[in-house]
Amino acid sequence: MTHDFAGARFELPRDREVLAWIFNQFLYGEVTGIQVGHWIQTAPNLAAANFFAKQCLQELQHIRTFRRCFEILGVRPGPPHRVVRMLSSDFIGGTFEEHVALEMAQGEGLVLQIFYALIDTIDHPE
């Protein structure tokens, strides 16, 4: 999937701060992995629990990737936006199905669209 941004590109060092803010939100979004333990315990079956156990490892790997983005930008992570903080801690969902619909399907889908947009607007091999 690709997006047409009419040639608009992020450039360093000009856009360092805005890119740092974007990657900061991703970093803290990955912290929703803290919810995985709860959902492993309430999963409706072993296959669902296994899925969340694998996801936990993926979340940790993603955190390492975003830390690398901060190294490339030459910045340190900052605090998350209040909405990201709420989504990663207070917005756990009331049921297993609600969590999967909100976090896995909707949330991950929106994040994927943002990744595609960043791929189309950041000229960097990593």
Side-chain angles (χ1 to χ4, degrees):
M1 176 168 266
T2 188
H3 300 279
D4 181 6
F5 291 99
R9 293 276 185 264
F10 286 108
E11 295 178 20
L12 291 175
R14 180 191 74 191
D15 298 316
R16 176 175 280 117
E17 293 304 313
V18 71
L19 287 169
W21 186 87
I22 290 168
F23 288 121
N24 198 53
Q25 306 322 302
F26 284 133
L27 174 68
Y28 286 97
E30 295 300 326
V31 176
T32 59
I34 64 172
Q35 300 173 356
V36 168
H38 172 80
W39 295 114
I40 289 173
Q41 291 178 350
T42 60
N45 55 49
L46 187 56
N50 189 48
F51 167 80
F52 278 113
K54 289 179 182 177
Q55 183 191 3
C56 187
L57 292 173
Q58 291 173 350
E59 302 292 349
L60 292 170
Q61 186 177 23
H62 297 159
I63 289 169
R64 285 191 292 273
T65 299
F66 289 121
R67 290 188 67 194
R68 175 67 181 128
C69 291
F70 287 112
E71 289 175 12
I72 291 169
L73 292 171
V75 298
R76 295 176 46 90
H81 186 275
R82 66 183 184 276
V83 172
V84 173
R85 188 173 38 246
M86 184 271 297
L87 290 172
S88 66
S89 60
D90 299 335
F91 200 62
I92 196 166
T95 65
F96 181 83
E97 294 78 11
E98 181 181 28
H99 173 73
V100 170
L102 293 172
E103 177 71 24
M104 306 288 95
Q106 217 170 2
E108 296 285 344
L110 292 171
V111 168
L112 183 59
Q113 293 303 309
I114 297 168
F115 281 140
Y116 286 139
L118 290 171
I119 288 167
D120 288 342
T121 57
I122 297 176
D123 292 323
H124 194 283
E126 286 187 76

